[in-house]
Amino acid sequence: MDPLNELVSSLKKFPGIGLKSARRIAYYLMRQDTPELERLGSLIAGLKKDLYTCSQCGNVSPQDPCTICSDPLRKKDTLCIVEDIEALSVFEQAGIYNGLYHVLGGRISPASGNDLSDEAAEFLRQHIMKLRPSEVIIATTPRIEGDIAYYTLLDVLQGSHVKKITRLAYGLPLGGSIEFADRVTLHSALEGRRQIM
Ligand SMILES: [Zn+2]
């Protein structure tokens, strides 16, 4: 296969990119000069090399502990549990939350066999024991299996001495992913969070 076709078939695997878009991106790249292509190439190569999974929260960052966990200006008494780093980045870009996060590292969907693993549950337990937050916000995506995920999390949080457990209020559509929520919807979901325990 020639390099152009190979690039197109690689780009086609990107989320939301079909054959047409893949071709358009490939032709766009062909028009760039060599230093720019090398810069892009090393950025992509650096994703695995220069980024670390935070040993405290599971976020991905150029440093461990991550830039959020080691930020002295973040409120350390509130912990927001999200499914993945995409959901975390949606919160961060919205700029509506100043506490810490815990990244579960993937969707919990027992219906499709993706239950919260023992390791993930233990990682969360350790984080909470270390941090001792006064509030834990559960920000997993609301859906049928999402609700099972939520009970799984409640199980983990039982006996953790957390004073207050809340869950996002949903203006979000059921089954709608947090990743697609706009800032206003996400903000009202956070403001309207209700206490569970
Ligand atoms: Zn972190």
Side-chain angles (χ1 to χ4, degrees):
M1 210 190 299
D2 77 274
L4 186 61
N5 281 339
E6 213 165 311
L7 179 62
V8 168
S9 66
S10 287
L11 290 169
K12 228 169 53 182
K13 294 178 192 152
F14 287 19
I17 302 292
L19 179 61
K20 252 187 180 169
S21 307
R23 277 201 192 118
R24 214 182 311 146
I25 296 168
Y27 289 126
Y28 164 80
L29 289 172
M30 274 181 69
R31 290 194 301 272
Q32 306 307 305
D33 55 23
T34 308
E36 175 59 11
L37 291 179
E38 282 170 356
R39 196 184 69 88
L40 276 172
S42 74
L43 278 177
I44 292 170
L47 284 178
K48 287 283 173 187
K49 220 170 56 211
D50 306 329
L51 288 175
Y52 304 92
T53 300
C54 177
S55 54
Q56 292 180 20
C57 76
N59 185 20
V60 171
S61 163
Q63 61 183 69
D64 180 25
C66 73
T67 44
I68 295 173
C69 285
S70 51
D71 182 348
L73 299 175
R74 308 277 315 200
K75 280 173 64 189
K76 304 269 191 284
D77 61 346
T78 316
L79 187 72
C80 180
I81 301 178
V82 291
E83 285 172 339
D84 47 34
I85 53 171
E86 275 174 82
L88 184 155
S89 78
V90 172
F91 272 99
E92 282 304 285
Q93 274 160 26
I96 52 171
Y97 173 73
N98 193 36
L100 299 182
Y101 296 94
H102 185 88
V103 182
L104 293 170
R107 293 270 153 78
I108 311 173
S109 164
S112 35
N114 302 322
D115 209 344
L116 187 70
S117 69
D118 291 347
E119 296 79 41
E122 188 52 32
F123 184 42
L124 175 62
R125 232 177 256 121
Q126 293 293 336
H127 194 189
I128 285 171
M129 270 166 58
K130 192 175 170 218
L131 200 66
R132 296 193 161 265
S134 53
E135 179 180 357
V136 169
I137 304 166
I138 300 179
T140 50
T141 303
R143 66 169 86 80
I144 304 303
E145 69 264 39
D147 284 337
I148 301 170
Y150 153 75
Y151 287 112
T152 315
L153 284 175
L154 276 190
D155 267 359
V156 175
L157 293 168
Q158 292 284 351
S160 62
H161 308 292
V162 176
K163 288 187 210 89
K164 191 174 167 191
I165 300 173
T166 54
R167 191 181 192 195
L168 294 189
Y170 281 102
L172 302 175
L174 194 69
S177 173
I178 282 183
E179 275 118 66
F180 298 112
D182 61 82
R183 186 179 186 276
V184 175
T185 309
L186 199 60
H187 188 247
S188 67
L190 187 63
E191 287 299 298
R193 66 186 184 274
R194 50 199 172 74
Q195 187 159 358
I196 308 150
M197 273 166 70

